[in-house]
Amino acid sequence: MVAPTERAPRERDNSRPVQPRRILIADDDAAIRSTLVELLRGEGYETLEAKSGSEVLRIVPVEEPDLLLIDLRMPDQDGIQILKRLAAQDINVGNVILMTAYGTSSTTIEAMHLGAYDYITKPFDVDRVLFTIRRYFERQQLAQELVRSKQETKALSERIVGNTAQMQDVYKMIGQVAASDANVLIIGETGAGK
């Protein structure tokens, strides 16, 4: 169950994407699912629910949720088995956060080894749950920005002529500065091709 906490009213984040993120909540305990659904919908997320591992394996390929919160222990199969089965279907499991009241280091290590993003322990601290979810989405956004930046840098380097050691240094510097909003001053002699 989610531990009650005193929380100050939360300011809404205007940088949230227009299309809400979809989170699958998989737990055999209806009260936990209900509590998490209410919490996450209140934060602007769309939610999907599964009460068994079999439902997770059926829902994930069809609905493609952005994040999965999976209980480690469910009647038909545990979270580790679900991770293995999803991975066997070539489904990325880096978007899985395991939930457990039975957190052991060996289970945690195995889950991380299989590619899970993180795990949270029951009873939940609401702020910890939200922090872990936000951290996951922030990390995803940074990874997407990095890919986009690398693509832009590659496109730029393909338009610049030059293959000397000095030009390679310029390409490196462009790559380092490209992701920032910094102003850049390029100096050199007239006719040098600045």
Side-chain angles (χ1 to χ4, degrees), residues 72 80 83 98 106-117 119:
L72 183 62
I80 299 296
L83 284 172
L98 287 176
S106 63
T107 304
T108 305
I109 291 169
E110 184 175 6
M112 298 302 150
H113 179 72
L114 291 170
Y117 174 70
Y119 82 101

Side-chain angles (χ1 to χ4, degrees), residues 7 13 53 65 73 78-79 81 87 95 105 156 163-164 169 180 193:
R7 295 189 321 167
D13 181 4
R73 293 203 179 166
D78 66 26
Q81 291 171 321
N95 65 341
S105 60
L156 179 63
N163 205 16
T164 64
D169 290 340
S180 74

